[in-house]
Amino acid sequence: MSLKTDQFYLPYQFVPLTGRCNDAPVHTTATAQIADGTLELGQPDSGVRHDLWLRGHHSGRLRCRITTRTPTFVGGLRKPSDHEQADTEVEHACDARRDPVFPGNSLRGMVASIAEALSQSSLRVLEPRTMSVRAPADGKNSLSAVGLVIREAGKKDFALKPLCLPVLQGANASKTQFELPRRWATLFGLEEGDQDYLLNCYLSAYVDGYTRSGDASVVRPGTFLSRLHGSQFRADDAYSLSLRAANGADHELYARVQASRTGLLLDITNSQAAYVKEATRKDGSVAATFLLGWRPEPTTATVAPVARPHGNCNDDELLGRIRALRLAAQSAGLPPTKRHELFVPAPGEDEPLRIDAKQLAEFFRICDSRHAENSELPFVPLGTASPAERAKSKEWLQEGDLVFFDVDESATRVTRLSFSGVWRLAVPGTLDDSIEKIAPHLAPLRDSRNRLSPAECLFGMVRERKDSAHQKETDPLPALASRLRFSEAALEPNSAARWEPPVTLQILSSPKPPSPAFYFSAKQPVTKRDLDLTRNRPNGRKHYLHHPPAQIAAKLYESRHQDRDLRKQKVRIRPLKPGTRFTFHIDFENLSGAELHLLLTSLQPSPSFEHRLGMGKPLGLGSVRLDILELGLIDRCARYRAEALDQPRHAQIYRGPLAADADLQLAGAPAAALPWPNDGFAGGCGPAGSLVDKATLQILCTLGEMEGDSPRYQAADVVVGYPRTKEQLDAWVRHVDPKAAETELFAWNVENDRKDAVYQHLTAAAPRKRLLPLKAMERQKKPGQHTSTAGPRKPPRR
């Protein structure tokens, strides 16, 4: 079957968060009653204790089989490599005999995620990170004024000295008159009148030194920037920049401040020295102009270090500092449009600005979040402490940093600051608070919650967060041991490991939260600009979809793009072949009937349901079938009587629904095994006492049930993968252009966010209904640009 190249399913769907089980509030358990042993008998949670066994509760062992349906890999040992650009090699988890196994903690996580969803329990594993979105590259949200971070003598707080004006827009697309907001005129002391100001002291200069190479910019050999990156550059080094060109012309840029109907105008007298950028319409006419700064001729500009501590220079030179991008490695690629770095004037004698405490805290939270996603983020200026050093010291802002900033209307305090012109905008609200508004027990345990959800009672919990100001580092955190113990899954007796050939996986990346088109838009479309966690709710728990057989057969999970700079981000593995079988067991203690029913349903939600296990789930690896072989129940109270010495360990043994005689181990003879109950041990667990929400079960079955080898509720000819444009999807499916198929996977999201695009979002799964795919959009291009936004072009990112 040929696969479509104009539609796709995301690698995941979401199981809704309701906080209700069978139309009733989820039954939660007071932590104080667990500690005191005062839980009421006869309730679903009465066995949440480890000091005694209760009559009428269930203890015993479950034996299960796992059969791989697609290539499957669970990581074990990571192989070290001395080569900087080699693939990261990881071995499969193995036992002492070097046979492959599935570790018990992997199995536990697989089953626990289903149990949490079915019982509408707490999201036990949820990072408390700040949500942020990339600011639009427009005049309202981008930052271009540069300031110097300082600490005033005897003071602990940071302050900022302004160095240069932001980008200014031309009045009616003029190339000589530019709108000057009053707050910036006030900040830099520019007053209306007949005085001519030397703008070189108020604007940044653009220093060339990068050239395009393929899809990235690189340092051009022999330029000032090549020397800069190759030296022991410090951000506080002083430099001088010549105001004279080789032909005798000058780069002195004079301007006068005039009043206008809308405010102030900066009227420049030497337009040849100005660096003005035009934004054009589709018909080629000029829509807007922008004064970016001044631009010395690349071939004649002289940038030289000043050796004296405070620095001074000749009359025809300007003293300042260089703000350059810190490269993670010498070969690191830059955006293909990058051509310059900034020379900014030296700080004057103006009073420093106070940095708003709220904005500073928000800046730190965003830096923490970005660094948690990637250890090389956020990008910081060259010649300053690295991201790793800043994270260790917990000071993301440091004295001497050159940062972009904005000020309030009174020009007395900094309201925004960033390391880049197009920074991140914090999403209002927190994810925990948004989840708690659905139901208080859904968010991970913290001081404000003193009751546990069913999955926490069953699988145990440890509160890792210290979220109270009064809490000391030495104070113990609440913890509860699990009443379930998972063994590792070993190869079935008399079977050998069946391996696929070694393969390098494509980079395991995915649109990260908040990505509102996917994570927050199941019921109502939400764009990045509108996302607000005080109002919007997350779609639910992520659940990975199974991939169609034709996609697995085509090995669309394999990386075919041989880019040496990206190899470190790829993993080389040797997965297990489909059809490899393992067995494992689960020992359980003191489970109520409702808890046992929840466990069994989590293991096998329906006869045709298949789980996802191990690495590469977004790429199609790790679809496995789990079958219950047998269930042995132990009568704990009877085991302590004298006659128990002559009795078998298990009082009752039940044969699994599909188990053969050879699969039984707990029973002395196959005839001793009882048939599996028709209700699957759900007897006595009516809607009022059940921990399995029927509506959630229907959604899970929609996402995980198979019909033969194909997902039951997905189109067999629609691929499952990361969002791709039509060009990228065609290249991926047909193996015609590996580079297009595996790089710039942000392109679909860029097109989806265009103002003139039909906004697509993930549609919520409907019970027992076919899932709706997304469309692969055409990628819009303009000459000299990679992507396009509606309306006139904005000034380039700096």
Side-chain angles (χ1 to χ4, degrees), residues 126-311:
L126 188 69
E127 295 180 9
R129 65 183 180 185
T130 297
M131 292 284 186
S132 65
V133 297
R134 188 175 182 84
D138 54 30
K140 179 181 178 181
N141 291 284
S142 57
L143 302 178
S144 51
V146 179
L148 172 68
V149 176
I150 65 169
R151 268 197 172 117
E152 297 182 85
K155 295 184 179 179
K156 182 181 179 181
D157 296 335
F158 290 109
L160 184 136
K161 279 210 164 192
L163 301 182
C164 64
L165 287 165
V167 171
L168 303 178
Q169 185 167 352
N172 299 318
S174 171
K175 293 184 179 180
T176 60
Q177 290 187 327
F178 297 89
E179 297 172 358
L180 178 64
R182 287 192 178 276
R183 68 182 190 278
W184 294 109
T186 301
L187 180 63
F188 284 92
L190 301 175
E191 299 177 349
E192 302 172 46
D194 296 333
Q195 179 181 358
D196 286 343
Y197 293 97
L198 179 63
L199 280 191
N200 304 73
C201 299
Y202 300 92
L203 295 174
S204 57
Y206 284 63
V207 182
D208 283 343
Y210 296 119
T211 185
R212 182 163 182 165
S213 177
D215 285 338
S217 288
V218 296
V219 179
R220 192 166 66 241
T223 61
F224 167 73
L225 294 184
S226 69
R227 298 193 301 273
L228 192 73
H229 284 292
S231 66
Q232 297 297 318
F233 171 77
R234 287 168 49 92
D236 59 357
D237 289 343
Y239 284 81
S240 65
L241 181 59
S242 173
L243 298 178
R244 301 287 175 183
N247 60 8
D250 64 60
H251 295 302
E252 293 180 350
L253 181 61
Y254 285 94
R256 184 171 296 175
V257 180
Q258 297 183 357
S260 71
R261 288 181 301 175
T262 57
L264 299 176
L265 287 180
L266 204 59
D267 192 359
I268 62 176
T269 58
N270 183 8
S271 60
Q272 297 299 317
Y275 184 14
V276 178
K277 190 76 173 179
E278 294 182 352
T280 58
R281 299 186 180 93
K282 292 182 179 180
D283 61 2
S285 61
V286 177
T289 54
F290 300 91
L291 176 62
L292 274 65
W294 60 290
R295 187 178 185 183
E297 296 176 38
T299 55
T300 59
T302 302
V303 185
V306 177
R308 289 169 292 281
H310 299 287

Side-chain angles (χ1 to χ4, degrees), residues 24 82 85 125 167 176 193 239 279 286 324 338 388 395 415 442 454 462 513 547 603 610 621 706-707 748 763:
D82 296 331
Q85 293 170 335
V125 182
V167 171
T176 60
Y239 284 81
V286 177
K338 188 169 182 62
E395 282 205 353
T415 57
L442 287 174
V462 176
H547 292 210
L603 292 169
E610 293 185 358
L621 274 59
M706 305 294 292
E707 194 166 46
W748 187 94
T763 305

